[in-house]
Amino acid sequence: MQIHDLPYPDPGVPDARSGPRFLWWLFRNQLGGQLKSLAWGLLHFASVASLPFCVGVAVQAAVDRSGGRLALAGGLMALACVGNAVGDTFLHRSAVTNWITAAARVQQLLGRKAAVLGSVLTRRVAAGEVVAVSTGDVEKIGWFVEALSRFTAAAVTVVAVTVGLLVYQPALGVVVAAGLPVLALAVLPLLPKATRRADVQREKAGRATELASDTVAGLRVLRGIGGEDLFLDRYRRASQEVRHAAVRSARMWSLIAAVQVLLPGLLLITVVWYGVQLAGDGRIAVGELVTVYSSVMLLTYPLRHFEEIAMAYSFSRPSARRAARVLSLERATDTVGTRAAETPAGDLYDPETGLCAPSGLLTAVVCGDPDAAGRLAERLGGHAAQEGTSVLLGGVPLDELPLDSARTAVLVQDKDPVLLSGTLGQLLDVPASGAVEPRAALEAAQCQDVLAALVQGSLGAEDPMDARITERGRSLSGGQRQRLALARSLVTDPEVLVLDEPTSAVDSHTEARIAQGLRGLRSGRTTVVFTSSPLLLDRADRVVFLHEGSVVAVGGHRELVRTEPRYRAVVTRETEQETAPATGLRADGPGMDRVPHGLAELEELEEIEETA
């Protein structure tokens, strides 16, 4: 896999049972790149390790005054330098490729999991943790996956050089063979403590990221209530905890690095001291002493990879654990489906609540519990947070359809939709039937003032479609964001459109026009609107009232206001005391001079609509 081939056509199905298993799965899925990196690493390290032999031959040739052997040593050294340069260049190239492709695979897996789970993801995992996994964690995971092949090449080189020294000069080779395992294993007792400190640092950093994400998301509300200083102090404390944990972790890693410098130095001193004695006794030649000394000195380079792999694993293990936790989440229903891919049509029916939305009609749903309404809206779109009876569309269970087919058939717009940064044209460039033009959708959603505001805030944008939208549409008001999101949903033109409180942040004048535009543009299409707005309810073909999770009344808005006290209480926000006397129409006599609040408000809104 090359970088220019990214993204992967299929990132695969990860082994998310644990962090180490996930790391091993990533390594196995990059076996070709890992073998390539291993081959270049062996060439690089072997070339580096052969330089001492060349130097030893050259020194001995100079001592013996042999021009032929000196020329041979020069040729071997030139060959080793070429191998070193080529191996190092392509090792770096393949290592970076492995790093980036591993990180890209993890990001694709996370993106696919987020798309499959939808809003269920942030209910099971904090949004800040998802951000931490998809940013910093993927780099650390890629680091370990990439470093594993370089470490293997270094380990093979160290073993090969040690065996070669034993054959070349057994007396000094024994000293090197006894010292190198000590160098490689000396840091192992320090690793558990260093790993624990790294885990603590990552945990505190994750909490700080979550706090920062939550604070930024709610900054407007925090400023409104004067709470930004409180959250700023909390983030300062969390940031200081991260700093202290990072310092403690760095101290341990600095100790490990010091050991990696000290012990090789002691081994070099030992080799030189013992080698000088052997040379003085005539047991070894000067060239052999130089060769062994140079070999031990250069072995400190591949030995550094032992420290690197330990650091990479300690940092990547908590990251991999977090990634595996996210990737192990599953939908309450099957994402593959047992039926063939199709886009069914017909009535939308939920057996659990008894809700039925007839095909081609605008159905308004009133539910006293906003959270229950949100969960039901997700169920209607096949995004159920827990297992249960499947919603039927035209008699076909949505849970039995492939996820793509279910989402094509039913589109759910949350009460808090997200606007991605980019131009307005890019925002409205969504999979669609092509039957609804973007400008028609914008007009139906009453976005004229939104377009003017976007053009005014975008330098050089004459066409509103070229106007830029900031991150999450933060420069727009809540009502403006709602209307743009509604326009995006209308452009999609799905078979069934489910809207959860699409006008909760819109004023009455605009809401009246949106109700008219929505009904006109969605004519002949199935539309379900969760709302308690009397104007939207009066525009609906039928109104369904849910109480305690079940349908208790179906009819027109005006009829339900007169006949269903519980419905009237939800729509008009009346208390129980207010609801009791408000059961009659205006008439003569005591206690009969009131009009139900829902009808009175509706009359007022009709007047607003006429003036608009």
Side-chain angles (χ1 to χ4, degrees):
M1 188 71 180
Q2 298 298 321
I3 295 177
H4 60 75
D5 296 327
L6 295 174
Y8 288 95
D10 179 13
V13 180
D15 186 350
R17 289 176 290 177
S18 66
R21 287 178 181 271
F22 179 60
L23 291 173
W24 176 242
W25 178 84
L26 283 174
F27 181 84
R28 286 189 292 107
N29 277 268
Q30 286 188 269
L31 196 56
Q34 298 294 344
L35 292 176
K36 186 184 298 184
S37 180
L38 175 61
W40 291 119
L42 288 174
L43 174 62
H44 170 58
F45 291 123
S47 300
V48 172
S50 65
L51 286 174
F53 174 75
C54 299
V55 173
V57 172
V59 171
Q60 192 61 42
V63 172
D64 297 340
R65 298 180 181 275
S66 174
R69 281 189 294 164
L70 187 61
L72 175 62
L76 292 175
M77 187 174 295
L79 184 62
C81 289
V82 171
N84 182 20
V86 173
D88 191 22
T89 299
F90 285 94
L91 171 62
H92 178 74
R93 181 185 179 92
S94 60
V96 171
T97 300
N98 289 336
W99 190 339
I100 293 177
T101 52
R105 187 189 295 272
V106 178
Q107 286 182 324
Q108 278 189 252
L109 290 171
L110 292 170
R112 186 175 65 177
K113 181 60 66 173
V116 168
L117 293 177
S119 60
V120 178
L121 175 62
T122 52
R123 293 182 180 177
R124 299 184 184 179
V125 181
E129 182 171 352
V130 178
V131 172
V133 171
S134 59
T135 53
D137 284 342
V138 295
E139 295 184 2
K140 294 177 175 58
I141 292 172
W143 177 26
F144 174 74
V145 173
E146 171 272 321
L148 199 54
S149 57
R150 287 190 293 113
F151 163 74
T152 304
V156 171
T157 302
V158 169
V159 173
V161 171
T162 303
V163 173
L165 289 177
L166 283 172
V167 175
Y168 179 71
Q169 179 44 251
L172 288 178
V174 171
V175 176
V176 176
L180 286 179
V182 176
L183 298 184
L185 303 177
V187 297
L188 290 183
L190 302 176
L191 286 179
K193 190 172 184 179
T195 302
R196 286 194 298 270
R197 291 190 179 185
D199 290 347
V200 171
Q201 177 194 353
R202 295 299 303 158
E203 181 180 356
K204 291 184 179 297
R207 291 177 182 174
T209 302
E210 292 176 16
L211 181 60
S213 176
D214 293 342
T215 303
V216 171
L219 189 58
R220 180 172 296 183
V221 177
L222 291 175
R223 286 177 174 172
I225 63 176
E228 65 268 27
D229 290 337
L230 175 62
F231 274 80
L232 182 59
D233 290 339
R234 289 183 182 177
Y235 182 74
R236 283 189 181 127
R237 290 195 297 271
S239 180
Q240 290 301 314
E241 290 180 2
V242 174
R243 183 178 67 85
H244 290 307
V247 170
R248 294 184 72 247
S249 179
R251 286 173 180 168
M252 184 56 63
W253 287 112
S254 65
L255 177 60
I256 292 176
V259 171
Q260 290 287 324
V261 173
L262 175 63
L263 294 183
L266 294 177
L267 179 60
L268 277 174
I269 294 173
T270 303
V271 169
V272 171
W273 174 77
Y274 185 52
V276 169
Q277 288 186 339
L278 293 177
D281 295 339
R283 296 173 59 185
I284 64 172
V286 175
E288 293 176 335
L289 175 59
V290 172
T291 299
V292 175
Y293 168 79
S294 301
S295 298
V296 174
M297 183 177 64
L298 290 179
L299 278 179
T300 58
Y301 170 56
L303 282 173
R304 293 175 190 169
H305 289 75
F306 287 77
E307 176 191 354
E308 182 190 8
I309 197 65
M311 292 183 63
Y313 181 71
S314 65
F315 283 117
S316 66
R317 190 182 67 173
S319 297
R321 185 170 61 244
R322 274 202 295 266
R325 182 164 60 246
V326 174
L327 295 174
S328 63
L329 298 177
E330 296 292 342
R331 283 170 46 87
T333 57
D334 186 16
T335 60
V336 178
T338 56
R339 291 176 176 263
E342 61 174 312
T343 304
D347 297 345
L348 184 67
Y349 176 67
D350 178 28
E352 188 169 313
T353 60
L355 170 64
C356 179
S359 175
L361 300 182
L362 173 59
T363 301
V365 180
V366 177
C367 183
D369 184 358
D371 293 334
R375 290 192 296 269
L376 177 56
E378 292 178 352
R379 276 177 46 77
L380 293 179
H383 309 289
Q386 55 188 7
E387 294 184 2
T389 306
S390 175
V391 173
L392 306 177
L393 178 58
V396 177
L398 287 180
D399 291 353
E400 296 181 6
L401 290 174
L403 186 59
D404 292 342
S405 299
R407 288 183 171 175
T408 300
V410 183
L411 173 66
V412 180
Q413 177 180 305
D414 296 334
K415 65 178 64 178
D416 186 21
V418 176
L419 302 181
L420 301 179
S421 60
T423 65
L424 179 59
Q426 291 172 337
L427 177 71
L428 300 179
D429 184 15
V430 293
S433 65
V436 179
E437 294 294 328
R439 296 190 182 277
L442 291 168
E443 183 178 352
Q446 300 300 308
C447 295
Q448 292 82 355
D449 63 316
V450 186
L451 299 182
L454 289 175
V455 171
Q456 184 178 4
S458 301
L459 296 177
E462 298 180 359
D463 188 348
M465 291 298 175
D466 296 330
R468 294 200 63 81
I469 300 173
T470 58
E471 181 186 3
R472 299 179 67 92
R474 297 190 188 281
S475 61
L476 303 174
S477 67
Q480 290 174 328
R481 290 196 297 271
Q482 271 192 338
R483 282 178 280 164
L484 281 181
L486 177 59
R488 180 177 58 187
S489 299
L490 292 175
V491 168
T492 304
D493 190 37
E495 182 68 30
V496 179
L497 176 60
V498 180
L499 304 172
D500 188 5
E501 295 288 354
T503 58
S504 59
V506 175
D507 62 82
S508 299
H509 292 80
T510 306
E511 188 176 32
R513 294 190 289 267
I514 290 176
Q516 184 176 357
L518 177 64
R519 182 177 176 86
L521 200 62
R522 291 289 298 173
S523 177
R525 290 289 207 179
T526 306
T527 308
V528 180
V529 182
F530 287 82
T531 183
S532 59
S533 166
L535 183 54
L536 283 176
L537 293 171
D538 192 59
R539 289 286 184 180
D541 295 308
R542 65 201 303 268
V543 178
V544 179
F545 176 54
L546 278 80
H547 182 68
E548 295 182 353
S550 300
V551 174
V552 295
V554 180
H557 169 61
R558 302 183 185 222
E559 174 190 355
L560 293 178
V561 167
R562 295 189 183 98
T563 60
E564 180 55 64
R566 293 172 296 183
Y567 174 83
R568 182 169 59 252
V570 173
V571 173
T572 64
R573 276 67 168 180
E574 292 178 342
T575 63
E576 293 182 1
Q577 291 79 8
E578 292 174 328
T579 304
T583 57
L585 299 174
R586 182 180 289 112
D588 296 333
M592 299 296 291
D593 58 349
R594 297 186 61 191
V595 176
H597 293 192
L599 296 180
E601 183 179 359
L602 183 59
E603 292 173 0
E604 180 182 354
L605 290 174
E606 287 175 343
E607 294 177 2
I608 293 174
E609 183 180 2
E610 291 176 0
T611 59

